[in-house]
Amino acid sequence: QLQLQESGPGLVKPSETLSLTCTVSGGSISSSSYYWGWIRQPPGKGLEWIGSIYYTGRTYYNPSLKSRVTISVDTSKNQFSLKLNSVTAADTAVYYCARHRRLGYCSGGSCYSWGQGTLVTVSS
Amino acid sequence: DIQMTQSPSSLSAAVGDRVTITCQASQDISNFLNWYQQKPGKAPKLLIFDASNLETGVPSRFSGSGSGTDFTFTISSLQPEDIATYYCQQYDNVPPWTFGQGTKVEIK
């Protein structure tokens, strides 16, 4: 059964870089059927897509965050990672990693999966 | 980019009531729409994929319909365990994945 697990510091200082890793188990990140992505949710607010990556390294970013975001993939470790630089209190959120279908390559609900999420607080 | 407008932002209904949530896309998205349920402190859970397909294990009181720009999510008979926030999510051949603003469902 596929599992995604976020890991990384729960507290980051303002102006520093937030770094998270998503470890995928029970399936290969090198599949042509999926995109892998990051979504965040500030306390009491809605879901915001941060960006996604294909196993080849092709990336897609939310335009509102693009200047500060880097997503990378390590197929040898079955992991993908998020870096968000120059963070402020507004970046405080629960960060989720997720798998999403790639149209034409996967169908059905099993194409989708989310990690449990990790709270990252930006504070000095 | 495509924008998703979800309404209402919150609703209160009695147990057994029919509950309807709508999501409108700013352009034609075919049936590339999912519905998620999120309970406090939990990750979103997929309920409906491709606009109208019920995910395995999800109770049949949940349903989705629509295509193009207008979509509807329905709980046919609201149960206490359905208290949650519901989100629509649009996708395409490539990212981005765009979420609606969410609808918080409460018991009256």
mmCIF file of all heavy atoms in Angstrom, chain B residues 31-80:
data_model
loop_
_atom_site.group_PDB
_atom_site.id
_atom_site.type_symbol
_atom_site.label_atom_id
_atom_site.label_comp_id
_atom_site.label_asym_id
_atom_site.label_seq_id
_atom_site.Cartn_x
_atom_site.Cartn_y
_atom_site.Cartn_z
ATOM 1 N N ASN B 31 -14.355 16.829 -17.246
ATOM 2 C CA ASN B 31 -14.744 16.226 -15.962
ATOM 3 C C ASN B 31 -13.546 16.075 -15.037
ATOM 4 O O ASN B 31 -13.533 15.232 -14.147
ATOM 5 C CB ASN B 31 -15.389 14.853 -16.195
ATOM 6 C CG ASN B 31 -14.408 13.834 -16.726
ATOM 7 O OD1 ASN B 31 -13.441 14.185 -17.404
ATOM 8 N ND2 ASN B 31 -14.636 12.571 -16.415
ATOM 9 N N PHE B 32 -12.541 16.935 -15.228
ATOM 10 C CA PHE B 32 -11.300 16.811 -14.454
ATOM 11 C C PHE B 32 -11.450 17.494 -13.098
ATOM 12 O O PHE B 32 -10.805 18.515 -12.808
ATOM 13 C CB PHE B 32 -10.132 17.376 -15.247
ATOM 14 C CG PHE B 32 -9.918 16.700 -16.573
ATOM 15 C CD1 PHE B 32 -9.359 17.408 -17.637
ATOM 16 C CD2 PHE B 32 -10.273 15.377 -16.779
ATOM 17 C CE1 PHE B 32 -9.156 16.789 -18.873
ATOM 18 C CE2 PHE B 32 -10.079 14.746 -18.004
ATOM 19 C CZ PHE B 32 -9.520 15.468 -19.046
ATOM 20 N N LEU B 33 -12.283 16.917 -12.256
ATOM 21 C CA LEU B 33 -12.593 17.514 -10.966
ATOM 22 C C LEU B 33 -12.738 16.434 -9.902
ATOM 23 O O LEU B 33 -13.387 15.412 -10.132
ATOM 24 C CB LEU B 33 -13.906 18.312 -11.052
ATOM 25 C CG LEU B 33 -14.216 19.072 -9.764
ATOM 26 C CD1 LEU B 33 -13.867 20.539 -9.944
ATOM 27 C CD2 LEU B 33 -15.646 18.901 -9.335
ATOM 28 N N ASN B 34 -12.113 16.692 -8.769
ATOM 29 C CA ASN B 34 -12.221 15.808 -7.617
ATOM 30 C C ASN B 34 -12.896 16.536 -6.461
ATOM 31 O O ASN B 34 -12.865 17.768 -6.396
ATOM 32 C CB ASN B 34 -10.835 15.347 -7.155
ATOM 33 C CG ASN B 34 -10.084 14.550 -8.203
ATOM 34 O OD1 ASN B 34 -10.681 13.868 -9.046
ATOM 35 N ND2 ASN B 34 -8.762 14.623 -8.162
ATOM 36 N N TRP B 35 -13.469 15.765 -5.563
ATOM 37 C CA TRP B 35 -14.032 16.299 -4.313
ATOM 38 C C TRP B 35 -13.348 15.611 -3.137
ATOM 39 O O TRP B 35 -13.237 14.393 -3.107
ATOM 40 C CB TRP B 35 -15.536 16.072 -4.238
ATOM 41 C CG TRP B 35 -16.333 16.904 -5.182
ATOM 42 C CD1 TRP B 35 -16.795 16.538 -6.416
ATOM 43 C CD2 TRP B 35 -16.780 18.247 -4.979
ATOM 44 N NE1 TRP B 35 -17.491 17.581 -6.993
ATOM 45 C CE2 TRP B 35 -17.501 18.636 -6.124
ATOM 46 C CE3 TRP B 35 -16.648 19.168 -3.924
ATOM 47 C CZ2 TRP B 35 -18.083 19.896 -6.252
ATOM 48 C CZ3 TRP B 35 -17.217 20.424 -4.048
ATOM 49 C CH2 TRP B 35 -17.934 20.776 -5.207
ATOM 50 N N TYR B 36 -12.923 16.427 -2.168
ATOM 51 C CA TYR B 36 -12.248 15.928 -0.980
ATOM 52 C C TYR B 36 -13.024 16.319 0.269
ATOM 53 O O TYR B 36 -13.648 17.372 0.317
ATOM 54 C CB TYR B 36 -10.839 16.522 -0.855
ATOM 55 C CG TYR B 36 -9.827 15.951 -1.824
ATOM 56 C CD1 TYR B 36 -9.637 16.508 -3.075
ATOM 57 C CD2 TYR B 36 -9.042 14.858 -1.468
ATOM 58 C CE1 TYR B 36 -8.703 15.989 -3.955
ATOM 59 C CE2 TYR B 36 -8.098 14.332 -2.336
ATOM 60 C CZ TYR B 36 -7.939 14.907 -3.579
ATOM 61 O OH TYR B 36 -7.001 14.390 -4.443
ATOM 62 N N GLN B 37 -12.900 15.471 1.279
ATOM 63 C CA GLN B 37 -13.424 15.738 2.611
ATOM 64 C C GLN B 37 -12.237 15.898 3.560
ATOM 65 O O GLN B 37 -11.327 15.076 3.546
ATOM 66 C CB GLN B 37 -14.282 14.565 3.088
ATOM 67 C CG GLN B 37 -14.797 14.676 4.513
ATOM 68 C CD GLN B 37 -15.354 13.337 4.990
ATOM 69 O OE1 GLN B 37 -14.636 12.355 5.136
ATOM 70 N NE2 GLN B 37 -16.664 13.295 5.233
ATOM 71 N N GLN B 38 -12.268 16.951 4.371
ATOM 72 C CA GLN B 38 -11.194 17.129 5.341
ATOM 73 C C GLN B 38 -11.765 17.344 6.730
ATOM 74 O O GLN B 38 -12.528 18.289 6.955
ATOM 75 C CB GLN B 38 -10.285 18.302 4.967
ATOM 76 C CG GLN B 38 -9.057 18.391 5.885
ATOM 77 C CD GLN B 38 -8.147 19.545 5.550
ATOM 78 O OE1 GLN B 38 -8.589 20.602 5.120
ATOM 79 N NE2 GLN B 38 -6.844 19.339 5.760
ATOM 80 N N LYS B 39 -11.388 16.489 7.640
ATOM 81 C CA LYS B 39 -11.768 16.643 9.036
ATOM 82 C C LYS B 39 -10.615 17.296 9.795
ATOM 83 O O LYS B 39 -9.459 17.197 9.368
ATOM 84 C CB LYS B 39 -12.142 15.291 9.639
ATOM 85 C CG LYS B 39 -13.378 14.695 8.962
ATOM 86 C CD LYS B 39 -13.845 13.417 9.598
ATOM 87 C CE LYS B 39 -15.141 12.941 8.929
ATOM 88 N NZ LYS B 39 -15.667 11.690 9.514
ATOM 89 N N PRO B 40 -10.901 17.965 10.903
ATOM 90 C CA PRO B 40 -9.863 18.718 11.633
ATOM 91 C C PRO B 40 -8.657 17.851 11.972
ATOM 92 O O PRO B 40 -8.798 16.740 12.483
ATOM 93 C CB PRO B 40 -10.599 19.183 12.887
ATOM 94 C CG PRO B 40 -12.020 19.301 12.468
ATOM 95 C CD PRO B 40 -12.242 18.160 11.515
ATOM 96 N N GLY B 41 -7.481 18.386 11.660
ATOM 97 C CA GLY B 41 -6.243 17.692 11.984
ATOM 98 C C GLY B 41 -5.894 16.546 11.072
ATOM 99 O O GLY B 41 -4.911 15.840 11.318
ATOM 100 N N LYS B 42 -6.676 16.358 10.027
ATOM 101 C CA LYS B 42 -6.453 15.237 9.105
ATOM 102 C C LYS B 42 -6.151 15.724 7.701
ATOM 103 O O LYS B 42 -6.511 16.840 7.318
ATOM 104 C CB LYS B 42 -7.684 14.324 9.070
ATOM 105 C CG LYS B 42 -8.052 13.718 10.414
ATOM 106 C CD LYS B 42 -7.001 12.737 10.883
ATOM 107 C CE LYS B 42 -7.450 11.999 12.135
ATOM 108 N NZ LYS B 42 -6.402 11.061 12.633
ATOM 109 N N ALA B 43 -5.518 14.858 6.921
ATOM 110 C CA ALA B 43 -5.294 15.155 5.520
ATOM 111 C C ALA B 43 -6.612 15.028 4.753
ATOM 112 O O ALA B 43 -7.506 14.297 5.169
ATOM 113 C CB ALA B 43 -4.258 14.197 4.934
ATOM 114 N N PRO B 44 -6.747 15.740 3.662
ATOM 115 C CA PRO B 44 -7.937 15.571 2.817
ATOM 116 C C PRO B 44 -8.084 14.124 2.347
ATOM 117 O O PRO B 44 -7.094 13.447 2.067
ATOM 118 C CB PRO B 44 -7.664 16.506 1.634
ATOM 119 C CG PRO B 44 -6.769 17.555 2.197
ATOM 120 C CD PRO B 44 -5.887 16.819 3.164
ATOM 121 N N LYS B 45 -9.333 13.702 2.270
ATOM 122 C CA LYS B 45 -9.665 12.345 1.836
ATOM 123 C C LYS B 45 -10.465 12.429 0.543
ATOM 124 O O LYS B 45 -11.462 13.153 0.473
ATOM 125 C CB LYS B 45 -10.500 11.634 2.905
ATOM 126 C CG LYS B 45 -11.018 10.271 2.498
ATOM 127 C CD LYS B 45 -11.990 9.725 3.546
ATOM 128 C CE LYS B 45 -12.615 8.414 3.096
ATOM 129 N NZ LYS B 45 -13.611 7.900 4.070
ATOM 130 N N LEU B 46 -10.036 11.699 -0.476
ATOM 131 C CA LEU B 46 -10.734 11.706 -1.757
ATOM 132 C C LEU B 46 -12.074 10.999 -1.630
ATOM 133 O O LEU B 46 -12.146 9.861 -1.174
ATOM 134 C CB LEU B 46 -9.865 11.014 -2.811
ATOM 135 C CG LEU B 46 -10.439 10.943 -4.218
ATOM 136 C CD1 LEU B 46 -10.481 12.325 -4.852
ATOM 137 C CD2 LEU B 46 -9.643 9.978 -5.090
ATOM 138 N N LEU B 47 -13.139 11.696 -2.056
ATOM 139 C CA LEU B 47 -14.465 11.087 -2.059
ATOM 140 C C LEU B 47 -14.941 10.789 -3.480
ATOM 141 O O LEU B 47 -15.505 9.734 -3.748
ATOM 142 C CB LEU B 47 -15.483 12.017 -1.386
ATOM 143 C CG LEU B 47 -15.271 12.389 0.078
ATOM 144 C CD1 LEU B 47 -16.441 13.260 0.546
ATOM 145 C CD2 LEU B 47 -15.120 11.167 0.947
ATOM 146 N N ILE B 48 -14.783 11.755 -4.366
ATOM 147 C CA ILE B 48 -15.274 11.689 -5.735
ATOM 148 C C ILE B 48 -14.122 12.043 -6.666
ATOM 149 O O ILE B 48 -13.446 13.051 -6.449
ATOM 150 C CB ILE B 48 -16.427 12.673 -5.970
ATOM 151 C CG1 ILE B 48 -17.580 12.434 -4.997
ATOM 152 C CG2 ILE B 48 -16.904 12.620 -7.427
ATOM 153 C CD1 ILE B 48 -18.399 11.202 -5.263
ATOM 154 N N PHE B 49 -13.900 11.237 -7.700
ATOM 155 C CA PHE B 49 -12.911 11.581 -8.708
ATOM 156 C C PHE B 49 -13.571 11.645 -10.082
ATOM 157 O O PHE B 49 -14.640 11.047 -10.304
ATOM 158 C CB PHE B 49 -11.737 10.590 -8.703
ATOM 159 C CG PHE B 49 -12.118 9.165 -9.033
ATOM 160 C CD1 PHE B 49 -12.062 8.690 -10.329
ATOM 161 C CD2 PHE B 49 -12.522 8.289 -8.030
ATOM 162 C CE1 PHE B 49 -12.405 7.386 -10.635
ATOM 163 C CE2 PHE B 49 -12.873 6.991 -8.319
ATOM 164 C CZ PHE B 49 -12.816 6.540 -9.618
ATOM 165 N N ASP B 50 -12.952 12.400 -10.969
ATOM 166 C CA ASP B 50 -13.485 12.598 -12.317
ATOM 167 C C ASP B 50 -14.948 13.029 -12.282
ATOM 168 O O ASP B 50 -15.774 12.536 -13.045
ATOM 169 C CB ASP B 50 -13.323 11.321 -13.158
ATOM 170 C CG ASP B 50 -11.869 10.947 -13.366
ATOM 171 O OD1 ASP B 50 -10.990 11.789 -13.070
ATOM 172 O OD2 ASP B 50 -11.601 9.822 -13.823
ATOM 173 N N ALA B 51 -15.238 13.923 -11.371
ATOM 174 C CA ALA B 51 -16.522 14.620 -11.233
ATOM 175 C C ALA B 51 -17.642 13.786 -10.646
ATOM 176 O O ALA B 51 -18.474 14.324 -9.895
ATOM 177 C CB ALA B 51 -16.971 15.215 -12.569
ATOM 178 N N SER B 52 -17.704 12.499 -10.989
ATOM 179 C CA SER B 52 -18.895 11.747 -10.595
ATOM 180 C C SER B 52 -18.621 10.326 -10.125
ATOM 181 O O SER B 52 -19.568 9.574 -9.859
ATOM 182 C CB SER B 52 -19.883 11.689 -11.765
ATOM 183 O OG SER B 52 -19.289 11.042 -12.879
ATOM 184 N N ASN B 53 -17.373 9.948 -10.018
ATOM 185 C CA ASN B 53 -17.028 8.582 -9.629
ATOM 186 C C ASN B 53 -16.740 8.471 -8.142
ATOM 187 O O ASN B 53 -15.867 9.165 -7.613
ATOM 188 C CB ASN B 53 -15.820 8.095 -10.419
ATOM 189 C CG ASN B 53 -16.122 7.965 -11.898
ATOM 190 O OD1 ASN B 53 -16.741 7.006 -12.330
ATOM 191 N ND2 ASN B 53 -15.714 8.956 -12.667
ATOM 192 N N LEU B 54 -17.457 7.592 -7.483
ATOM 193 C CA LEU B 54 -17.320 7.411 -6.049
ATOM 194 C C LEU B 54 -16.087 6.574 -5.755
ATOM 195 O O LEU B 54 -15.913 5.472 -6.301
ATOM 196 C CB LEU B 54 -18.570 6.717 -5.499
ATOM 197 C CG LEU B 54 -18.770 6.693 -3.995
ATOM 198 C CD1 LEU B 54 -19.032 8.103 -3.464
ATOM 199 C CD2 LEU B 54 -19.935 5.767 -3.631
ATOM 200 N N GLU B 55 -15.228 7.104 -4.905
ATOM 201 C CA GLU B 55 -14.041 6.364 -4.522
ATOM 202 C C GLU B 55 -14.453 5.105 -3.742
ATOM 203 O O GLU B 55 -15.458 5.086 -3.015
ATOM 204 C CB GLU B 55 -13.119 7.249 -3.671
ATOM 205 C CG GLU B 55 -11.972 6.557 -2.953
ATOM 206 C CD GLU B 55 -10.932 5.949 -3.876
ATOM 207 O OE1 GLU B 55 -11.251 5.541 -5.003
ATOM 208 O OE2 GLU B 55 -9.768 5.816 -3.420
ATOM 209 N N THR B 56 -13.675 4.060 -3.886
ATOM 210 C CA THR B 56 -13.936 2.806 -3.197
ATOM 211 C C THR B 56 -14.021 3.001 -1.690
ATOM 212 O O THR B 56 -13.166 3.655 -1.073
ATOM 213 C CB THR B 56 -12.814 1.792 -3.515
ATOM 214 O OG1 THR B 56 -12.729 1.605 -4.917
ATOM 215 C CG2 THR B 56 -13.096 0.472 -2.828
ATOM 216 N N GLY B 57 -15.085 2.452 -1.104
ATOM 217 C CA GLY B 57 -15.250 2.521 0.339
ATOM 218 C C GLY B 57 -15.995 3.739 0.843
ATOM 219 O O GLY B 57 -16.310 3.831 2.035
ATOM 220 N N VAL B 58 -16.288 4.671 -0.043
ATOM 221 C CA VAL B 58 -17.007 5.886 0.354
ATOM 222 C C VAL B 58 -18.512 5.605 0.313
ATOM 223 O O VAL B 58 -19.015 5.041 -0.664
ATOM 224 C CB VAL B 58 -16.641 7.053 -0.580
ATOM 225 C CG1 VAL B 58 -17.503 8.276 -0.292
ATOM 226 C CG2 VAL B 58 -15.156 7.391 -0.439
ATOM 227 N N PRO B 59 -19.237 6.010 1.352
ATOM 228 C CA PRO B 59 -20.684 5.727 1.391
ATOM 229 C C PRO B 59 -21.419 6.310 0.187
ATOM 230 O O PRO B 59 -21.073 7.392 -0.309
ATOM 231 C CB PRO B 59 -21.132 6.410 2.681
ATOM 232 C CG PRO B 59 -19.913 6.427 3.547
ATOM 233 C CD PRO B 59 -18.769 6.629 2.602
ATOM 234 N N SER B 60 -22.452 5.617 -0.216
ATOM 235 C CA SER B 60 -23.181 5.996 -1.427
ATOM 236 C C SER B 60 -24.039 7.245 -1.245
ATOM 237 O O SER B 60 -24.615 7.743 -2.215
ATOM 238 C CB SER B 60 -24.058 4.834 -1.898
ATOM 239 O OG SER B 60 -24.972 4.475 -0.880
ATOM 240 N N ARG B 61 -24.149 7.767 -0.038
ATOM 241 C CA ARG B 61 -24.879 9.027 0.153
ATOM 242 C C ARG B 61 -24.109 10.215 -0.437
ATOM 243 O O ARG B 61 -24.664 11.289 -0.603
ATOM 244 C CB ARG B 61 -25.180 9.288 1.630
ATOM 245 C CG ARG B 61 -23.973 9.478 2.514
ATOM 246 C CD ARG B 61 -24.412 9.736 3.966
ATOM 247 N NE ARG B 61 -23.280 9.923 4.878
ATOM 248 C CZ ARG B 61 -22.641 8.938 5.460
ATOM 249 N NH1 ARG B 61 -23.019 7.688 5.248
ATOM 250 N NH2 ARG B 61 -21.628 9.185 6.275
ATOM 251 N N PHE B 62 -22.844 10.010 -0.735
ATOM 252 C CA PHE B 62 -22.040 11.039 -1.389
ATOM 253 C C PHE B 62 -22.113 10.854 -2.904
ATOM 254 O O PHE B 62 -22.016 9.734 -3.407
ATOM 255 C CB PHE B 62 -20.572 10.970 -0.956
ATOM 256 C CG PHE B 62 -20.343 11.246 0.502
ATOM 257 C CD1 PHE B 62 -20.148 10.199 1.394
ATOM 258 C CD2 PHE B 62 -20.322 12.548 0.983
ATOM 259 C CE1 PHE B 62 -19.930 10.447 2.753
ATOM 260 C CE2 PHE B 62 -20.099 12.805 2.333
ATOM 261 C CZ PHE B 62 -19.918 11.753 3.220
ATOM 262 N N SER B 63 -22.280 11.948 -3.622
ATOM 263 C CA SER B 63 -22.288 11.869 -5.076
ATOM 264 C C SER B 63 -21.801 13.170 -5.691
ATOM 265 O O SER B 63 -21.793 14.213 -5.036
ATOM 266 C CB SER B 63 -23.688 11.531 -5.608
ATOM 267 O OG SER B 63 -24.591 12.585 -5.316
ATOM 268 N N GLY B 64 -21.387 13.083 -6.936
ATOM 269 C CA GLY B 64 -20.941 14.256 -7.667
ATOM 270 C C GLY B 64 -21.486 14.225 -9.071
ATOM 271 O O GLY B 64 -21.755 13.162 -9.631
ATOM 272 N N SER B 65 -21.666 15.414 -9.639
ATOM 273 C CA SER B 65 -22.158 15.508 -11.007
ATOM 274 C C SER B 65 -21.587 16.756 -11.658
ATOM 275 O O SER B 65 -21.021 17.629 -10.989
ATOM 276 C CB SER B 65 -23.675 15.528 -11.035
ATOM 277 O OG SER B 65 -24.176 16.695 -10.401
ATOM 278 N N GLY B 66 -21.769 16.814 -12.965
ATOM 279 C CA GLY B 66 -21.364 18.000 -13.709
ATOM 280 C C GLY B 66 -20.253 17.736 -14.686
ATOM 281 O O GLY B 66 -19.577 16.706 -14.638
ATOM 282 N N SER B 67 -20.075 18.668 -15.587
ATOM 283 C CA SER B 67 -18.974 18.653 -16.541
ATOM 284 C C SER B 67 -18.868 20.029 -17.165
ATOM 285 O O SER B 67 -19.817 20.825 -17.086
ATOM 286 C CB SER B 67 -19.164 17.591 -17.624
ATOM 287 O OG SER B 67 -20.266 17.919 -18.438
ATOM 288 N N GLY B 68 -17.741 20.304 -17.746
ATOM 289 C CA GLY B 68 -17.547 21.624 -18.345
ATOM 290 C C GLY B 68 -17.127 22.641 -17.297
ATOM 291 O O GLY B 68 -15.974 22.647 -16.862
ATOM 292 N N THR B 69 -18.039 23.485 -16.865
ATOM 293 C CA THR B 69 -17.695 24.515 -15.887
ATOM 294 C C THR B 69 -18.475 24.413 -14.584
ATOM 295 O O THR B 69 -18.103 25.060 -13.603
ATOM 296 C CB THR B 69 -17.917 25.924 -16.466
ATOM 297 O OG1 THR B 69 -19.300 26.067 -16.816
ATOM 298 C CG2 THR B 69 -17.051 26.176 -17.693
ATOM 299 N N ASP B 70 -19.536 23.640 -14.555
ATOM 300 C CA ASP B 70 -20.412 23.616 -13.381
ATOM 301 C C ASP B 70 -20.526 22.221 -12.785
ATOM 302 O O ASP B 70 -20.894 21.271 -13.481
ATOM 303 C CB ASP B 70 -21.793 24.148 -13.748
ATOM 304 C CG ASP B 70 -21.746 25.610 -14.137
ATOM 305 O OD1 ASP B 70 -21.283 26.431 -13.323
ATOM 306 O OD2 ASP B 70 -22.144 25.927 -15.271
ATOM 307 N N PHE B 71 -20.227 22.148 -11.495
ATOM 308 C CA PHE B 71 -20.166 20.879 -10.803
ATOM 309 C C PHE B 71 -20.920 20.948 -9.477
ATOM 310 O O PHE B 71 -20.980 22.006 -8.839
ATOM 311 C CB PHE B 71 -18.700 20.493 -10.546
ATOM 312 C CG PHE B 71 -17.899 20.388 -11.806
ATOM 313 C CD1 PHE B 71 -17.306 21.516 -12.365
ATOM 314 C CD2 PHE B 71 -17.757 19.175 -12.457
ATOM 315 C CE1 PHE B 71 -16.582 21.434 -13.535
ATOM 316 C CE2 PHE B 71 -17.031 19.083 -13.629
ATOM 317 C CZ PHE B 71 -16.446 20.210 -14.178
ATOM 318 N N THR B 72 -21.473 19.814 -9.084
ATOM 319 C CA THR B 72 -22.247 19.732 -7.852
ATOM 320 C C THR B 72 -21.802 18.523 -7.049
ATOM 321 O O THR B 72 -21.585 17.447 -7.607
ATOM 322 C CB THR B 72 -23.737 19.613 -8.169
ATOM 323 O OG1 THR B 72 -24.163 20.755 -8.909
ATOM 324 C CG2 THR B 72 -24.558 19.541 -6.885
ATOM 325 N N PHE B 73 -21.700 18.728 -5.747
ATOM 326 C CA PHE B 73 -21.405 17.661 -4.788
ATOM 327 C C PHE B 73 -22.596 17.574 -3.855
ATOM 328 O O PHE B 73 -23.070 18.590 -3.351
ATOM 329 C CB PHE B 73 -20.128 17.995 -4.029
ATOM 330 C CG PHE B 73 -19.822 17.046 -2.889
ATOM 331 C CD1 PHE B 73 -19.217 15.836 -3.117
ATOM 332 C CD2 PHE B 73 -20.137 17.399 -1.575
ATOM 333 C CE1 PHE B 73 -18.913 14.971 -2.064
ATOM 334 C CE2 PHE B 73 -19.853 16.543 -0.526
ATOM 335 C CZ PHE B 73 -19.239 15.328 -0.778
ATOM 336 N N THR B 74 -23.084 16.353 -3.629
ATOM 337 C CA THR B 74 -24.297 16.170 -2.828
ATOM 338 C C THR B 74 -24.080 15.113 -1.761
ATOM 339 O O THR B 74 -23.468 14.065 -2.021
ATOM 340 C CB THR B 74 -25.470 15.753 -3.726
ATOM 341 O OG1 THR B 74 -25.704 16.760 -4.707
ATOM 342 C CG2 THR B 74 -26.742 15.561 -2.897
ATOM 343 N N ILE B 75 -24.586 15.425 -0.579
ATOM 344 C CA ILE B 75 -24.740 14.420 0.481
ATOM 345 C C ILE B 75 -26.251 14.202 0.584
ATOM 346 O O ILE B 75 -26.987 15.125 0.942
ATOM 347 C CB ILE B 75 -24.168 14.878 1.827
ATOM 348 C CG1 ILE B 75 -22.710 15.342 1.666
ATOM 349 C CG2 ILE B 75 -24.267 13.758 2.856
ATOM 350 C CD1 ILE B 75 -22.119 15.976 2.927
ATOM 351 N N SER B 76 -26.706 13.020 0.268
ATOM 352 C CA SER B 76 -28.154 12.806 0.138
ATOM 353 C C SER B 76 -28.869 12.818 1.494
ATOM 354 O O SER B 76 -30.021 13.231 1.593
ATOM 355 C CB SER B 76 -28.431 11.479 -0.574
ATOM 356 O OG SER B 76 -27.886 10.408 0.168
ATOM 357 N N SER B 77 -28.174 12.394 2.521
ATOM 358 C CA SER B 77 -28.762 12.363 3.862
ATOM 359 C C SER B 77 -27.626 12.602 4.862
ATOM 360 O O SER B 77 -26.872 11.683 5.179
ATOM 361 C CB SER B 77 -29.449 11.020 4.118
ATOM 362 O OG SER B 77 -29.943 10.950 5.453
ATOM 363 N N LEU B 78 -27.523 13.823 5.336
ATOM 364 C CA LEU B 78 -26.389 14.225 6.168
ATOM 365 C C LEU B 78 -26.336 13.419 7.459
ATOM 366 O O LEU B 78 -27.355 13.250 8.149
ATOM 367 C CB LEU B 78 -26.500 15.723 6.490
ATOM 368 C CG LEU B 78 -25.333 16.340 7.252
ATOM 369 C CD1 LEU B 78 -24.075 16.347 6.381
ATOM 370 C CD2 LEU B 78 -25.687 17.758 7.708
ATOM 371 N N GLN B 79 -25.152 12.928 7.748
ATOM 372 C CA GLN B 79 -24.926 12.168 8.982
ATOM 373 C C GLN B 79 -23.948 12.926 9.883
ATOM 374 O O GLN B 79 -23.140 13.726 9.398
ATOM 375 C CB GLN B 79 -24.357 10.789 8.645
ATOM 376 C CG GLN B 79 -25.281 9.947 7.783
ATOM 377 C CD GLN B 79 -26.624 9.703 8.437
ATOM 378 O OE1 GLN B 79 -26.696 9.206 9.566
ATOM 379 N NE2 GLN B 79 -27.689 10.078 7.739
ATOM 380 N N PRO B 80 -23.995 12.679 11.182
ATOM 381 C CA PRO B 80 -23.099 13.413 12.099
ATOM 382 C C PRO B 80 -21.622 13.269 11.737
ATOM 383 O O PRO B 80 -20.847 14.215 11.916
ATOM 384 C CB PRO B 80 -23.402 12.778 13.459
ATOM 385 C CG PRO B 80 -24.801 12.261 13.334
ATOM 386 C CD PRO B 80 -24.937 11.815 11.914
#
